[in-house]
Structure formats: C-alpha cells, structure tokens
Amino acid sequence: MSCSDANPEAGRRRDNRELRFRGVLENRQLLGPQTVHFDIANGCNVRCTTCWHHSPMLDAASVPSANWKRRAMPLATFCEIMDDLVALGGLEQIILSGMGDPTLNEDLYEMVRYAHQQGIAVTIITNLIQADLERLLSSAGQLDLLVSVCGVSRDVWDAFHGGSFSGGFDKLLQQLASLRASGFLPKHVQVINSQNYHELADMVRFATRFPTKRINFKFASLANGTEAVALSKQQKTELRDRLVPRAKAVAVFNQIATDLDDFATQISLDSHRTSPIEEVGCYMGTIYCRITVDLELLYCCNTEVSVGFIDRENTFQSLWNGPQYGALRERLGNGNFFESCQQCGKYKQNLKWSEKLRQHQAALPRIGGGP
C-alpha cells in the first residue's frame, strides 16, 4: 500500500492544493472556495469606534435600522449553504463572524458542530464577552478563536468599544483566564486606531498574561464617520519609527508570535490607505468569499463588492460559477481595483498568497526536471 493510499485525506488535500494554485494562477475557479466567511449576526453587544455598523462615530445616514440589527442567520439556512459548499469541493475552513458579534446568534454552537461533523475547520471572530466557552470547546474539530481585544487597559478598552458594555473589560479578562486554564490558545486581534496605538508594546506584553497563538495587528477600513478615530500623520510616524520596533523587541524577548512585520507595511503616512494592493495583487476570487445574514454573496470582505444574493434560483454554486463572479475575477485579476481596495481587509492574506505563488512558481522547473 502506498503512502497516498494509506492516507487518502492527505492525498485529497495535496490534489486540491495543486488545483488551488492552478486556479489562482489562471484566475478561474477549479474548486470551490478554500475559506468561506459567514456573517451570522448583525447585532452586537459593543459599539467599537471603527465599526461601519455600530460605531458611535457613524454619520446619521449610515446608522443601520433596529430591524437590521436584529437579524441573524437561521441554522437551517447555514446548513443548506454548507451542504452546497461541501458538494462543490475544496472547502477547508469556515469563519463565523458577523456585522456584529456571532455569539449573539444562539445557533452558533450547532453551526460549529455541523461544520466539524463534515471535517471543516472553524474560526470564530468574537469579542468573547458572551461566548459559552464550555460549549464551544466541546465540539470535536479544529477550532480557532480570534479574540478582538483592541485595548489592554480598562480605559482604552472602554474608549475603543464606545463605553457601551459596563464591566466588559473585566468579563474579557475572565474569559481569557478561562481559556488559559483550559490550555486553549486563542489568537489576539488588535485593531489599531488613534485611541489605542500607544499601547502597542503593552498589547504584546498582554500575551504574557493571557497566552496566544499569535497577535494579529490590523487597521480598520474607516468610512462613514469612523475616520474620526484615524491616526494622524504624526501618530503614524510615531507608530512606524518608535512603537512598532519597540513592540517587535518585546515580542522577540518574550517569544510571542505576531504579524508586526506585515503590519508595518500597511502604515501610510499621507492617507487612510492601509494596503499597497497594487504591489501584491488580489487572489481572493478563487480562495475566499463572504456571505452576509441577508445572504448577499461578497467577493471578499469588502461589502461594496457584491456578486449577488443566494436564493432558491441562485445557489452558492451557481453564483460561484456564474458570469458576475467571472467578471469580478477578471477585473481584479487584471489589477483594476476598487477605490475601497486601498483599505483591503484581506491584505495580509493576499500578501501570503503572493509569497506562496512565488515559491510555487520557483519550484515548478525542478518538479518538471529542469534546472
């Protein structure tokens, strides 16, 4: 029996990997997406100042209705789309998140179980405050928690979260302590703005108290009034020249994994731009997509780049393989980016895929027997 026969799952993933690279290089869908991001709840228990949907900084015309905030994805709808994705092939991971916090959808835990039953890894992006950790950790499957921290002192945490959750910071610490006691390592997410940028090194030190797989630093895409918390040119200069190097030194000393090197490439002094996307390229069209509570299929995490809506006439598969998706793949693959791509929320993933493709292409002559 060959090694591939002994481990058919490993063989399938290897075949999928080759198809994935080929699809990305040719900018067409030879598989279904590798990662699908489900927004399962619009409501939120905090009001992060960078949020397009709940920020107290939003201009009046951009504030969603109370009805919109109450919407959540039903379990049956989620399962139906998951079945379609699994049948399409290529799915490895789902992200459960929201325009708010996914823990406000009471079906979150069953969604995790349903994905795990089909061998699909799950990542949950959450502020952790209302998460039932015992239920989450009881599901038998690969699970990542991306915990939105965004401030490691009470005053800064309260300011970033709009002062909207009394005792929220203490609850977060309790939840992180519970994860530490269980031996589960989450990832810390630190969204940086003018309210918290000065805590960069302390955000790394925070991980010495509450262990993490990695700290992810990112800028929010600011619009519709949230520009009020953007960093000034002076603050960005301080971040680039003093705070990032200091935080990197703390991380090295304490052996804490971060993405500070990639984060540093996103600091633009002269604009709100956070992504030199023209230098990297966009690869999301064949590996990632996002589905909202309203079943709008988004090309990426950018809510402006819509493919259409999933319904009885338009399944996920039909949209994925349809002309609208194909046109968007061609446009973005040719470098014809949207203005909002200058604040690309998937920039780091695009950066990683750019490097993967470079390495893959460099190895091709050797695979074929060339020099």
Side-chain angles (χ1 to χ4, degrees):
M1 178 180 289
S2 69
C3 293
S4 59
D5 290 335
N7 192 348
E9 178 63 20
R12 181 183 67 82
R13 285 185 177 268
R14 184 169 56 251
D15 291 343
N16 280 354
R17 183 173 179 272
E18 291 305 312
L19 281 173
R20 184 78 61 198
F21 275 119
R22 183 177 149 203
V24 173
L25 287 167
E26 297 175 5
N27 198 28
R28 62 191 181 98
Q29 74 290 6
L30 299 177
L31 285 170
Q34 182 181 57
T35 301
V36 175
H37 182 147
F38 286 89
D39 286 325
I40 63 171
N42 286 345
C44 200
N45 49 9
V46 294
R47 301 178 67 203
C48 295
T49 53
T50 57
C51 180
W52 283 12
H53 309 288
H54 302 280
S55 173
M57 308 292 183
L58 288 173
D59 55 56
S62 302
V63 177
S65 68
N67 179 60
W68 181 90
K69 291 181 179 180
R70 285 192 290 267
R71 293 178 195 163
M73 183 178 289
L75 177 62
T77 300
F78 169 82
C79 293
E80 185 175 347
I81 296 172
M82 278 292 298
D83 291 344
D84 199 20
L85 285 164
V86 171
L88 183 58
L91 183 67
E92 297 179 12
Q93 175 195 37
I94 63 168
I95 299 170
L96 297 178
S97 181
M99 302 292 185
D101 197 90
T103 59
L104 272 66
N105 186 324
E106 61 185 14
D107 291 323
L108 166 66
Y109 309 96
E110 290 305 315
M111 292 175 177
V112 173
R113 291 185 188 280
Y114 195 79
H116 281 166
Q117 286 167 3
Q118 300 184 69
I120 305 301
V122 178
T123 294
I124 300 173
I125 305 174
T126 174
N127 58 42
L128 207 65
I129 292 171
Q130 291 185 217
D132 185 332
L133 295 179
E134 184 175 355
R135 291 182 69 187
L136 276 182
L137 300 185
S138 68
S139 183
Q142 184 178 335
L143 178 69
D144 272 323
L145 293 179
L146 270 62
V147 180
S148 179
V149 181
C150 308
V152 294
S153 64
R154 184 174 286 101
D155 288 347
V156 171
W157 190 95
D158 284 345
F160 185 98
H161 293 85
S164 54
F165 193 98
S166 178
F169 184 68
D170 291 330
K171 179 62 176 177
L172 170 65
L173 298 186
Q174 291 171 15
Q175 294 281 73
L176 289 172
S178 294
L179 290 176
R180 180 182 62 200
S182 73
F184 184 93
L185 291 177
K187 296 176 183 176
H188 296 175
V189 178
Q190 304 286 3
V191 179
I192 303 303
N193 70 2
S194 61
Q195 297 165 305
N196 64 8
Y197 79 104
H198 60 281
E199 286 199 329
L200 210 69
D202 289 333
M203 289 171 177
V204 178
R205 294 187 186 96
F206 187 76
T208 65
R209 295 172 55 199
F210 302 105
T212 177
K213 284 185 180 179
R214 187 180 68 232
I215 309 173
N216 294 341
F217 293 90
K218 62 177 292 185
F219 291 109
S221 301
L222 301 176
N224 305 327
T226 61
E227 300 95 336
V229 293
L231 289 137
S232 67
K233 183 174 181 178
Q234 181 179 351
Q235 289 169 333
K236 289 179 182 178
T237 302
E238 182 184 8
L239 186 69
R240 182 194 64 185
D241 296 345
R242 187 173 67 86
L243 298 179
V244 168
R246 178 185 295 177
K248 287 170 66 173
V250 173
V252 170
F253 181 80
N254 290 285
Q255 297 184 322
I256 295 169
T258 76
D259 64 355
L260 281 166
D261 285 335
D262 291 344
F263 175 70
T265 70
Q266 295 186 264
I267 301 173
S268 173
L269 298 183
D270 298 318
S271 71
H272 294 321
R273 181 185 177 107
T274 60
S275 306
I277 194 68
E278 295 88 351
E279 300 172 14
V280 174
C282 177
Y283 309 100
M284 293 298 103
T286 57
I287 62 174
Y288 170 94
C289 63
R290 181 177 182 181
I291 301 170
T292 72
V293 165
D294 295 329
L295 302 188
E296 186 175 16
L297 178 57
L298 302 176
Y299 188 86
C300 55
C301 62
N302 188 342
T303 56
E304 294 182 4
V305 189
S306 176
V307 180
F309 286 83
I310 299 171
D311 53 32
R312 292 300 174 190
E313 287 73 37
N314 298 287
T315 64
F316 179 90
Q317 286 200 42
S318 67
L319 290 170
W320 179 255
N321 294 318
Q324 173 71 0
Y325 227 125
L328 284 169
R329 289 187 185 103
E330 183 176 2
R331 170 180 173 162
L332 292 163
N334 289 332
N336 185 12
F337 299 109
F338 295 90
E339 183 177 353
S340 50
C341 294
Q342 294 183 359
Q343 298 188 76
C344 175
K346 307 304 291 182
Y347 169 74
K348 289 176 184 173
Q349 288 83 348
N350 280 316
L351 189 62
K352 289 175 182 175
W353 269 94
S354 176
E355 178 61 19
K356 284 181 181 180
L357 288 172
R358 187 191 67 77
Q359 294 175 354
H360 182 73
Q361 290 176 300
L364 287 177
R366 292 193 296 276
I367 292 173

